[in-house]
């Protein structure tokens, strides 16, 4: 409150032995303060009636050097209420201590924590934010606490008399165990919105949403919610979610930070000229909004938007960070000076007096001219400036700004004057920053949906969810937030934000595991699947036995091709045609889709097949065992299975089934080779010749017996003695093995059968003859006909009676029976049976004449049978006969004459005469 107390006289707070000035963060509550040292441990000072200093007692402390016992954990950030304290540990879990009458500690009871050392350290209960959920940031009001969770949702607990918990009611949360954890209701920020930061006032709470809009809820009598009214928000369910109104600020500007004071709210915002300014609204009784003439701003819509007055920071400077208290506000500018405005009755503005400030002009004097580590000066003789937020300096003396080293990308420092890179706070898991020298948490950008960061201080883009997974979470801290595509789907895309990229496995494919990052696995050849979105290979139905499929990823049973006739497959799910086993040689099958070799029918006995996979019996029929062979084997597969009929037998048809089909060569034949196909082989030149026989059936060599005398065979190959025929009557056989009987010679006969000698042939008697041989009876000896005779036995023919003789006796046995013709008769041929009379004009004067004598010309005879020449009378005169044997004389014709008898012609009248 006195100028003499500031600048070089300003006393530092001692944070513990060896840690002078090495503090990385300070937070203030209603009546106590806490700091985070470089070693990330916490110490607190101030009022302690409820254990809010965390030192295991209720004794107030003004120079405390005892750190808060948090067990094995360190601290990333702090949040202080009026009478309680909370820490975000390095494991991203939250612990609180102090007053707990309204459940503000979040431990499911109303008992204070921190009044006894036994309550601290490993005995502390972490706030249950829900299964698998951690915190990214925390904030505390008078008696309520809020956390920005790792899933970018906000949850609050504690006092709720004005709806400051944002759950649509006034229910106090945190005094009962079953109110926490998965039962803890998240603040509904509206459809599609997440939170990026959290800040709490005395009875209201604000957040910067993912679209950089500011929304607040809770107590609002002074317009501190920025919605242009004094209505409380959050105590009714119809006020949250899409009904939640965003605070209206300048157009064409973007909010980068929001801070809530007791009854007012301020933001840092990026103006169109890129400079960072400050806007405030709410209660202004002490000038904490940085404007004058107004008790409050924001109770009417006309107060908001472009009507908001910017806090004048002076020159071309920008605000690097903000701090809001009960009735005052401070800003750290980019020239490393601090401006504060508002309530100053206790000198809380640090300007050397107790006058309230509505428009800041005088910076806080924070240090001497000699620069300590963490400071720098660019003007000799001027005051030292702390290294800007986001930088640090480990040296001392007069230094230039260049000696302040920027915090590495992936970290930030919101405090100024830091002396070590240990004060550069690493961006939390789920965040990243590529910016060096960052001065606030806002540079730690949330990992976008579809990515995560499991490490603190990430200085490059977040790791994309690998193919086969996705994440809608903003600020994900590990790969477990990458939700795996469900079985039956896949995704080849890295960093997807929803399961819309999880493509359903098509029919014929499957994905049996979650998170498949390559196309779905194809059903193997030999199977198919009609199931879309299949999550197991069990849905790949195997092609049935008797079929196969070479298709990978088949989506229909129609791809299962039946094994063709002549093949079979007992395998289920056969992947190739080669799985269809060919029916072996000697078998065939007409069935398609056969499942067993049983269907391969064996070729019948007497046939064989060399074909593999034969599809009908024709393959057997085409290969019948040839005539002369047989096979008793079913299913014979080669010609070698056909056995030749043995020597002495033959087979005269193909396809014989056994040896009984081989026919023995009959008696009288033999065969000395196997495989004969015709009985002709048995009666070939190798059979028994004519005149012999054999009674042996199927003989393989010559065993022929000659027929006895008196018998014969005319052909070969006879099989018994009965085949030797007895010589018939008229014949005989006087030797064995005769192929024919000898005929009795002409002129003889034999009536006996089986005659063995020519002597048994009887000669025909005299008077008979036989012109043919082989006569079998005496009746076959013919009588000589009349006109002939036979005077010896065995005549082949009868002797004819000579011309001039005759005989009318049959069977004449002597020549005497041939009688000479009498005179007047003749016989001019032999074998005459009678003599003929001489014709008129002729005569025969002796016996035995073969012809009659003709009467001479000029004579005639009219008597037949004349025996003398005197019977030939001379023609009388006047007649003539010009030829012999005339029976009468002719009269001379007119003109001629005959003057004497016996004339053979008439004399013609002389010329000149007539008659």
């Amino acid at each position: 409150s006195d100028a003499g107390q500031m600048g070089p006289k300003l006393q530092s707070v001692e944070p513990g032995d060896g840690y002078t000035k090495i503090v990385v963060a300070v937070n203030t509550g209603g009546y106590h303060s806490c700091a985070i040292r470089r070693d990330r441990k916490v110490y607190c000072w101030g009022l302690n009636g409820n254990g809010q200093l965390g030192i295991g007692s209720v004794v107030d402390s003004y120079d405390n050097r005892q750190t808060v016992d948090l067990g094995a954990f360190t601290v990333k950030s702090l949040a202080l209420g009026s009478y309680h304290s909370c820490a975000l540990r390095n494991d991203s879990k939250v612990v609180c201590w102090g007053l707990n009458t309204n459940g503000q500690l979040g431990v499911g009871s109303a008992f204070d924590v921190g009044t006894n050392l036994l309550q601290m350290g490993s005995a502390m209960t972490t706030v249950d934010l829900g299964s698998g959920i951690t915190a990214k940031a925390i904030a505390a009001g008078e008696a309520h606490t809020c956390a920005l969770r790792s899933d970018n949702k906000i949850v609050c607990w504690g006092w709720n008399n004005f709806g400051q918990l944002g759950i649509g009611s006034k229910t106090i949360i945190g005094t009962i165990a079953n109110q926490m954890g998965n039962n803890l209701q998240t603040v509904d920020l509206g459809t599609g919105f997440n939170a990026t930061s959290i800040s709490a006032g005395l009875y209201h709470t604000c957040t910067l949403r993912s679209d950089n809009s500011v929304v607040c809820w809770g107590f609002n009598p002074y317009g501190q919610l920025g919605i242009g009214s004094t209505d409380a928000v959050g105590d009714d369910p119809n006020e949250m979610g899409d009904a939640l109104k965003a605070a209206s600020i300048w157009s064409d500007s973007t909010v980068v930070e929001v801070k809530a004071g007791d009854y007012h709210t301020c933001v840092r915002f990026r103006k169109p000229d890129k400079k960072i300014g400050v806007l405030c609204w709410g209660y202004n009784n002490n000038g904490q909004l940085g404007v004058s003439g107004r008790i409050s701003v924001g109770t009417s819509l006309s107060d908001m938007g472009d009507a908001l007055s910017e806090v004048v920071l002076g020159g071309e400077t920008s605000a690097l960070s903000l701090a809001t208290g009960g009735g005052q506000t401070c800003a750290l500018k980019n020239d490393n000076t601090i401006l504060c405005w508002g309530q100053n009755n206790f000198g809380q503005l640090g300007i050397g007096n107790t006058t309230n400030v509505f428009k800041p002009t005088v910076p806080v004097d924070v240090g001497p001219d000699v620069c300590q580590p963490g400071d720098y000066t660019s003007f000799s003789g001027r005051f030292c400036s702390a290294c800007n937020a986001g930088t640090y300096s480990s040296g001392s003396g007069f230094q230039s700004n260049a000696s302040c080293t920027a915090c590495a990308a992936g970290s930030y420092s919101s405090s100024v004057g830091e002396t070590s890179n240990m004060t550069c706070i690493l961006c939390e898991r789920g965040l990243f920053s590529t910016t060096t020298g960052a001065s606030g948490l806002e540079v730690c950008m949330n990992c976008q949906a579809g990515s995560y960061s499991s490490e603190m201080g990430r200085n490059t883009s977040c790791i994309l969810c690998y193919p086969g997974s996705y994440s809608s979470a903003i600020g994900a801290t590990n790969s477990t937030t990458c939700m795996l595509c469900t079985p039956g789907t896949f995704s080849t895309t890295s960093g997807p934000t929803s399961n819309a990229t999880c493509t359903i496995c098509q029919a014929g494919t499957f994905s049996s595991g979650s998170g498949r990052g390559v196309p779905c696995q194809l059903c193997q050849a030999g199977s198919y699947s009609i199931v879309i979105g299949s999550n197991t290979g069990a849905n790949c139905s195997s092609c049935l036995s008797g079929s196969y499929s070479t298709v990978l990823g088949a989506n229909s049973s129609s791809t299962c091709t039946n094994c063709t006739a002549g093949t079979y497959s007992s395998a289920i799910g056969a992947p190739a045609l080669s799985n269809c086993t060919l029916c072996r040689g000697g078998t065939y099958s007409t069935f398609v889709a056969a499942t067993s070799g049983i269907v391969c029918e064996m070729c019948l006995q007497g046939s064989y097949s060399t074909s593999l996979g034969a599809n009908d019996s024709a393959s057997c029929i085409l290969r019948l065992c040839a005539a002369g062979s047989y096979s008793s084997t079913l299913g014979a597969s080669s010609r070698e299975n056909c056995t030749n009929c043995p020597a002495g037998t033959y087979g005269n048809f193909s396809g014989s089934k056994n040896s009984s089909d081989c026919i023995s060569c009959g008696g009288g034949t033999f065969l000395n080779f196997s495989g004969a196909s015709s009985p002709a082989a048995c009666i070939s030149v190798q059979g028994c010749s004519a005149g012999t026989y054999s009674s042996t059936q199927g003989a393989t060599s010559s065993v022929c017996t000659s027929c006895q005398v008196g018998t014969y065979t005319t052909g070969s190959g006879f099989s018994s003695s009965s085949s030797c025929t007895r010589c018939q009557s008229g014949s005989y056989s006087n030797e064995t093995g005769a192929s024919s009987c000898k005929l009795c010679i002409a002129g003889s006969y034999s009536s006996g059968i089986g005659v063995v000698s020519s002597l048994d042939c009887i000669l025909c008697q005299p008077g008979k003859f036989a012109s043919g041989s082989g006569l079998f009876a005496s009746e076959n000896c013919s009588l000589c006909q009349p006109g002939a005779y036979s005077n010896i036995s065995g005549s082949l023919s009868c002797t004819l009676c000579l011309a001039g003789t005759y005989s009318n006796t049959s069977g004449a046995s002597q020549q005497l029976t041939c009688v000479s013709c009498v005179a007047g008769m003749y016989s001019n041929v032999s074998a005459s049976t009678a003599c003929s009379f001489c014709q008129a004009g002729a005569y025969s004067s002796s016996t035995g004449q073969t012809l009659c004598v003709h009467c001479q010309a000029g004579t005639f005879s009219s008597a037949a049978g004349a025996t003398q020449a005197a019977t030939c009378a001379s023609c009388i005169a006047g007649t003539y006969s010009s030829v012999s044997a005339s029976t009468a004389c002719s009269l001379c014709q007119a003109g001629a004459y005959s003057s004497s008898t016996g004339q053979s012609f008439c004399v013609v009248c002389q010329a000149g005469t007539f008659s």
Side-chain angles (χ1 to χ4, degrees):
S1 61
D2 189 319
Q5 297 173 329
M6 301 302 290
K9 301 295 184 178
L10 191 61
Q11 184 177 351
S12 64
V13 178
E14 182 62 55
D17 293 339
Y19 287 96
T20 303
K21 295 195 71 177
I22 308 180
V23 171
V24 297
V26 176
N27 289 74
T28 59
Y31 305 99
H32 71 295
S33 300
C34 294
I36 302 174
R37 301 191 314 196
R38 184 178 66 181
D39 61 357
R40 314 307 292 187
K41 294 186 179 295
V42 177
Y43 74 101
C44 302
W45 62 95
L47 293 184
N48 193 32
N50 301 101
Q52 58 263 47
L53 301 187
I55 57 177
S57 74
V58 293
V59 177
D60 298 341
S61 175
Y62 303 103
D63 59 353
N64 175 51
R65 299 186 182 187
Q66 180 180 346
T67 58
V68 178
D69 183 4
L70 298 178
F73 298 97
T74 57
V75 173
K76 294 196 287 187
S77 65
L78 296 169
L80 275 58
S82 291
Y83 301 99
H84 74 289
S85 306
C86 294
L88 177 59
R89 298 190 317 196
N90 62 334
D91 63 351
S92 298
K93 293 185 178 181
V94 178
V95 290
C96 298
W97 60 94
L99 184 64
N100 195 31
T101 54
N102 292 292
Q104 56 262 51
L105 303 189
V107 293
S109 74
F111 298 105
D112 294 350
V113 174
T115 59
N116 188 311
L117 282 175
L118 296 178
Q119 298 173 326
M120 302 302 290
S122 60
M124 298 185 77
T125 300
T126 59
V127 178
D128 187 354
L129 301 177
S131 300
I133 301 296
T134 57
K136 296 169 69 173
I138 54 176
E142 180 181 37
H144 78 287
T145 310
C146 296
L148 172 59
R149 298 195 314 187
S150 55
D151 61 356
N152 300 308
K153 305 292 184 183
I154 292 175
V155 289
C156 299
W157 57 93
W159 200 23
N160 195 26
N161 56 332
F162 299 110
Q164 55 264 48
L165 302 189
I167 59 175
S169 73
K170 294 183 179 181
T171 302
I172 294 175
I173 301 296
T175 58
I176 302 173
N178 62 9
Q179 293 176 322
M180 302 301 292
N182 291 335
N183 294 323
L184 198 57
Q185 184 177 341
T186 59
V187 178
D188 188 353
L189 300 179
T191 304
F193 291 110
N194 287 317
T196 63
S197 67
I198 186 71
S199 181
L202 205 60
Y203 307 117
H204 76 291
T205 309
C206 296
T207 184
L208 185 61
R209 293 195 301 195
S210 51
D211 64 344
N212 296 109
S213 63
V214 175
V215 289
C216 302
W217 55 93
F219 197 44
N220 193 32
Y222 306 108
Q224 56 262 49
L225 302 188
I227 58 176
S229 75
T230 58
D231 297 332
V233 173
D235 56 355
D236 187 291
N238 296 322
E239 296 172 342
M240 300 303 292
D242 292 339
L244 194 60
K245 298 177 181 178
S248 177
I249 65 167
W250 284 11
S251 56
D252 298 326
S253 61
T254 303
V255 175
V256 296
E257 183 183 20
V258 59
K259 291 289 186 178
D262 279 2
Y263 301 109
H264 74 292
T265 304
C266 294
V267 296
R268 286 192 307 123
F269 73 106
R270 182 175 289 107
K271 297 183 288 186
D273 62 2
K274 305 304 182 181
K275 292 184 173 64
I276 305 298
V278 177
L279 295 173
C280 299
W281 57 89
Y283 199 28
N284 195 39
N285 60 327
N286 293 303
Q288 56 264 50
L289 303 187
V291 296
S292 60
R294 299 288 298 274
I295 295 299
S296 63
V297 173
T299 58
S300 171
L301 286 174
S302 61
D303 294 341
M304 300 303 294
D306 291 329
L308 285 172
S309 297
E310 182 184 5
V311 178
V312 178
L313 301 179
E316 298 297 319
T317 58
S318 292
L320 296 181
S321 64
L322 280 176
T324 53
Q328 73 277 356
T329 307
C330 294
L332 173 63
K333 300 197 300 179
N334 61 348
D335 63 357
N336 293 315
T337 61
I338 298 173
L339 285 180
C340 295
W341 57 94
Q343 189 174 10
N344 195 29
N345 55 330
F346 296 110
Q348 51 263 57
L349 301 187
I351 56 175
N353 59 49
T354 57
T355 302
N356 291 350
V357 173
F358 287 84
K359 291 186 177 181
T361 56
V362 179
V364 178
D365 186 357
V366 294
D369 291 339
V370 177
C371 297
Q372 297 297 316
D375 295 342
Y376 77 100
T377 180
S378 56
F379 304 100
S380 179
R382 295 284 304 274
F383 64 86
C384 294
S385 298
C387 284
N388 294 332
T391 65
Y392 63 91
S393 171
S394 58
S396 61
F398 292 99
Q399 303 169 44
S400 69
N401 189 39
S403 64
C404 294
T405 304
C407 287
S411 67
Y412 68 94
S413 175
S414 58
S415 56
V416 297
E418 297 296 351
T419 62
S420 168
N421 64 353
M422 297 295 292
T423 62
C424 296
I425 303 171
L426 297 177
C427 289
E428 291 296 324
R429 295 177 180 87
L431 304 175
F432 76 97
S433 173
T434 58
T435 304
T436 58
S439 61
L441 174 63
E442 65 272 8
V443 299
C444 296
M445 294 181 287
N446 283 313
C447 290
Q448 296 302 304
S451 65
Y452 67 93
S453 173
S454 58
E455 59 182 332
M456 297 180 65
R458 186 169 183 85
N459 58 12
T460 59
S461 298
C462 297
I463 302 170
L464 295 177
C465 287
Y466 49 83
S469 65
Y470 64 93
S471 175
S472 60
I474 305 293
T477 60
N478 55 60
S479 61
T480 60
T481 60
C482 296
M483 307 298 291
L484 299 179
C485 289
T486 57
T489 64
F490 75 97
S491 173
T492 58
T493 305
S494 298
T497 61
S498 74
N499 62 1
T501 61
C502 296
T503 304
I504 295 175
C505 291
Q506 296 302 304
T509 67
F510 67 93
S511 171
S512 57
S514 300
R516 187 172 182 86
V518 295
C520 298
Q521 187 171 348
L522 298 175
C523 286
Q524 294 299 309
S527 65
Y528 65 93
S529 174
I530 61 174
V531 178
I532 295 175
S534 173
N535 59 10
T536 174
N539 286 329
C540 293
S541 301
S542 296
C543 289
L544 298 177
S545 298
S547 65
Y548 69 95
S549 174
T550 60
V551 179
L552 291 172
N555 59 11
S556 168
S557 60
S558 62
T559 59
C560 297
T561 303
N562 287 329
C563 289
T564 58
T567 66
Y568 65 91
S569 173
S570 58
I572 295 175
L577 174 61
S578 59
N579 292 104
C580 294
T581 304
L582 298 173
C583 285
R584 65 173 179 80
T587 65
Y588 67 93
S589 171
T590 60
F591 296 96
V592 296
T595 62
S596 168
I598 294 174
V599 301
C600 296
E601 299 183 54
M602 289 187 285
C603 289
L604 296 177
Q605 293 168 319
S607 65
Y608 68 95
S609 173
T610 60
S611 301
L612 296 175
N615 59 13
D616 59 40
S617 60
S619 63
C620 301
I621 296 172
L622 291 173
R623 292 177 174 82
L624 294 176
C625 286
S629 65
Y630 66 91
S631 173
S632 58
T633 304
L634 287 171
S637 60
S638 72
R639 173 67 180 83
E640 284 68 28
N641 292 107
C642 296
T643 303
N644 284 333
C645 285
T649 65
Y650 65 91
N652 59 0
F653 60 89
S654 58
S656 294
K657 299 180 180 179
N658 50 56
S659 60
S660 63
D661 291 326
C662 294
I663 303 169
S664 295
C665 287
T669 64
F670 71 92
L671 189 59
N672 60 2
F673 62 88
S674 63
S677 61
S678 167
C682 299
I683 58 175
S684 67
V685 293
Q686 301 177 62
C688 289
S689 61
T692 64
Y693 67 91
S694 174
S695 60
T696 303
Q697 298 287 323
T700 61
S701 63
S702 178
V703 287
C704 298
T705 303
S706 297
C707 288
Q708 296 179 355
V709 292
T711 64
Y712 73 97
T713 60
T714 59
S716 62
F718 290 105
S719 60
S720 70
S721 60
S722 62
S723 302
C724 296
T725 306
R726 291 165 60 183
C727 290
Q728 299 298 308
S729 298
S731 65
Y732 67 92
S733 173
N734 59 356
E735 59 185 354
T736 60
S739 60
S740 63
C741 293
K742 300 175 183 178
L743 296 177
C744 288
I745 62 173
S748 65
Y749 67 92
S750 173
S751 60
I753 295 180
V755 175
V756 299
S757 172
S758 62
L759 297 178
D760 292 317
C761 293
I762 302 171
L763 297 176
C764 289
Q765 295 176 356
K768 296 182 179 181
F769 74 95
S771 58
S773 60
L775 300 181
F776 55 85
S778 61
E779 289 78 6
N780 296 124
C781 293
S782 301
L783 292 173
C784 288
Q785 297 296 315
Y789 65 92
S790 173
N791 57 358
I792 60 173
S793 297
S795 292
L796 300 181
S797 61
C798 294
T799 302
L800 300 177
C801 288
L802 296 175
T805 66
Y806 72 94
S807 174
N808 57 5
T809 303
S810 295
S813 61
Q814 295 181 22
Q815 187 179 10
L816 294 178
T817 58
C818 294
V819 180
S820 295
C821 291
V822 295
M825 302 183 78
Y826 72 95
S827 170
N828 60 354
V829 293
S830 60
S832 295
T833 59
C835 293
S836 301
F837 286 103
C838 290
Q839 299 294 320
Y843 65 93
S844 171
S845 61
S846 63
T847 62
Q849 294 300 310
T850 60
L851 54 84
C852 292
V853 178
H854 291 170
C855 288
Q856 296 181 354
T859 67
F860 75 93
S861 174
S862 60
T867 62
Q868 297 179 22
T871 58
C872 296
S874 296
C875 290
I876 64 174
T879 65
Y880 71 96
S881 171
S882 59
V883 295
S884 62
S886 296
T887 58
C889 294
S890 301
L891 293 175
C892 289
Q893 298 293 320
Y897 64 93
S898 172
S899 61
S900 62
T901 62
Q903 292 298 309
S904 62
F905 62 87
C906 291
V907 178
V908 178
C909 288
Q910 293 291 320
T913 69
F914 75 91
S915 171

